[in-house]
Amino acid sequence: MCQRKKGNIPLIRGKKGRSPRAERRTAGSLTSLTLTGHSVQASYVESRPPSPKKIPPWPSDLCKGCRALIEKVRERYSKTWKKQEDNYRNLSSQLRSQCQGFDRAIITQANTPVGSTIVYSAENKKTLKVTPEMFSTFIKENPFPKKKWETCAVVGNSGILTNSSCGEMIDSAELVIRCNLPSLGKGYERHVGTKTDIVTANPSILVKEYGDLMGPRRPFVESLHSYGKSMMVLSPFSYAHTTPVCLRAVYSVRDFESPIQPMFFNPDYFLSLALFWRSRGLTRGLLSTGLVMVNIALEHCANLHLYGFWPFGNHPFELNAVKNHYYDDKKAIWTVHYMPDEFDLLLRLHSQGVLRLHLGNCRPGIN
């Protein structure tokens, strides 16, 4: 388990005691996507916030509390971003040593044998004994190699991706992680890409979209075709009532011989990660699967880029209304996860040069 630290502490300091803000003031302009040890010319660059003369007027239908939030985002985001290698290495090392995502993020036959007791992460008074039948649904060994990918993209599903033209930038990453079985193809390719190496599947989607998988299961399996041979990570051990539907998802994939590779999040890792961030000020709500995947990526990826992480109702630069998802307009209900706090954390990590949070549109660039 991650060890608790008293009080809210600064996330990361820069080199030789300088603050990340001081580090940013010395940063030069970036004209290409910088990778460890070499540089790759990007065919697309992210548009910057508009100049003061071009800032549109505040709309009358601005989401509640969004003006102060957007002003803060613009202030932080207007500074030229540069990776702060010390900050990144510090956080990545802490996550690896204290939460051990390399070894514990996914349940495997190696780390959870028959007879083990699983403790539900959101209902810690409820437990489950691993039976031989359940054990057969676990992957054999850790799917993540003990190496680092050079560039990774974690893609959320915010409507901020609508008309963003970020698909090519997303697909150029060595590893692409998508959240909650998003809609791909159907004209979204230009804006969100198609490449998928890992996709998460929340049990709530299986319940709402596929009838708890209690009826015909072919529609569910066919919906997975757009993710190819990617890994699909399910979360059966947060709440006891979600275990059966996640097991049915695995059986459906097997029965229809889908090439996708299902696996399960480890609730021990969820608990460790929650304790890690709680000691650093993130105290409200359960961690979303999007944030969990960001943390896993921070252990595995030398350069991490985030797209589609914007949980508010207006665009931060253009101020137009933004849908909850780029593929539908179902309203966000923050009862389990507290997305404003999670976004603030991601924005701080962006400001500290740990990861790159993309909030603007992507456009052809001159390199």
Side-chain angles (χ1 to χ4, degrees), residues 248-269:
R248 286 194 289 272
V250 175
Y251 298 144
S252 301
V253 166
R254 286 182 178 177
D255 291 347
F256 287 92
E257 299 181 341
S258 170
I260 207 163
Q261 305 170 62
M263 58 194 66
F264 298 146
F265 279 120
N266 190 336
D268 287 346
Y269 177 70

Side-chain angles (χ1 to χ4, degrees), residues 134-338:
M134 182 179 297
F135 180 78
S136 72
T137 66
F138 300 165
I139 61 169
K140 291 185 177 180
E141 48 191 33
N142 194 328
F144 300 127
K146 291 203 171 183
K147 69 165 192 173
K148 290 210 172 190
W149 285 279
E150 201 63 51
T151 55
C152 299
V154 180
V155 187
N157 300 324
S158 168
I160 201 172
L161 284 172
T162 303
N163 298 321
S164 67
S165 299
C166 286
E168 185 173 336
M169 282 184 69
I170 291 170
D171 283 353
S172 70
E174 189 177 357
L175 181 79
V176 178
I177 301 169
R178 300 185 187 272
C179 300
N180 299 336
L181 298 179
S183 184
L184 297 180
K186 303 178 183 179
Y188 301 124
E189 298 92 335
R190 180 184 171 192
H191 309 298
V192 303
T194 58
K195 181 179 179 180
T196 308
D197 297 290
I198 303 172
V199 63
T200 68
N202 277 5
S204 60
I205 296 174
L206 304 180
V207 173
K208 293 175 183 177
E209 301 295 329
Y210 301 103
D212 216 18
L213 295 178
M214 293 297 289
R217 301 177 187 181
R218 184 180 294 275
F220 164 67
V221 176
E222 290 180 347
S223 74
L224 303 178
H225 290 172
S226 60
Y227 312 119
K229 297 180 180 180
S230 65
M231 295 181 277
M232 178 177 67
V233 193
L234 299 133
S235 182
F237 304 121
S238 292
Y239 296 93
H241 69 270
T242 64
T243 304
V245 69
C246 290
L247 292 174
R248 286 194 289 272
V250 175
Y251 298 144
S252 301
V253 166
R254 286 182 178 177
D255 291 347
F256 287 92
E257 299 181 341
S258 170
I260 207 163
Q261 305 170 62
M263 58 194 66
F264 298 146
F265 279 120
N266 190 336
D268 287 346
Y269 177 70
F270 278 9
L271 291 169
S272 295
L273 202 58
L275 185 58
F276 181 90
W277 286 115
R278 191 178 303 134
S279 69
R280 289 157 174 79
L282 191 64
T283 58
R284 292 188 284 189
L286 299 178
L287 301 185
S288 69
T289 51
L291 184 57
V292 170
M293 294 313 302
V294 168
N295 280 272
I296 291 174
L298 281 170
E299 289 194 36
H300 291 81
C301 303
N303 297 275
L304 177 58
H305 295 254
L306 308 187
Y307 302 84
F309 282 81
W310 177 256
F312 307 105
N314 288 87
H315 196 286
F317 308 132
E318 300 167 12
L319 299 181
N320 57 287
V322 170
K323 297 188 297 183
N324 186 36
H325 298 141
Y326 67 82
Y327 50 83
D328 67 39
D329 199 19
K330 294 178 181 177
K331 302 303 178 184
I333 303 175
W334 296 332
T335 55
V336 177
H337 312 300
Y338 198 73

Side-chain angles (χ1 to χ4, degrees), residues 109 111-119 128-131 134-135 138:
Q109 292 184 356
N111 63 28
T112 312
V114 173
S116 298
T117 298
I118 292 175
V119 179
L128 183 68
K129 282 281 189 188
V130 175
T131 64
M134 182 179 297
F135 180 78
F138 300 165

Side-chain angles (χ1 to χ4, degrees), residues 73-135:
V73 169
R74 284 177 173 178
E75 189 276 329
R76 293 192 193 179
Y77 206 76
S78 63
K79 297 177 174 65
T80 300
W81 186 88
K82 183 179 180 180
K83 184 180 179 183
Q84 301 294 334
E85 191 67 34
D86 286 352
N87 292 348
Y88 157 74
R89 288 183 182 277
N90 184 22
L91 181 58
S92 181
S93 176
Q94 289 176 26
L95 286 168
R96 189 177 302 185
S97 65
Q98 298 183 47
C99 298
Q100 302 170 33
F102 265 126
D103 301 314
R104 301 175 61 205
I106 303 298
I107 279 187
T108 69
Q109 292 184 356
N111 63 28
T112 312
V114 173
S116 298
T117 298
I118 292 175
V119 179
Y120 286 91
S121 58
E123 299 176 305
N124 55 22
K125 293 184 179 178
K126 293 187 177 181
T127 61
L128 183 68
K129 282 281 189 188
V130 175
T131 64
E133 181 181 3
M134 182 179 297
F135 180 78

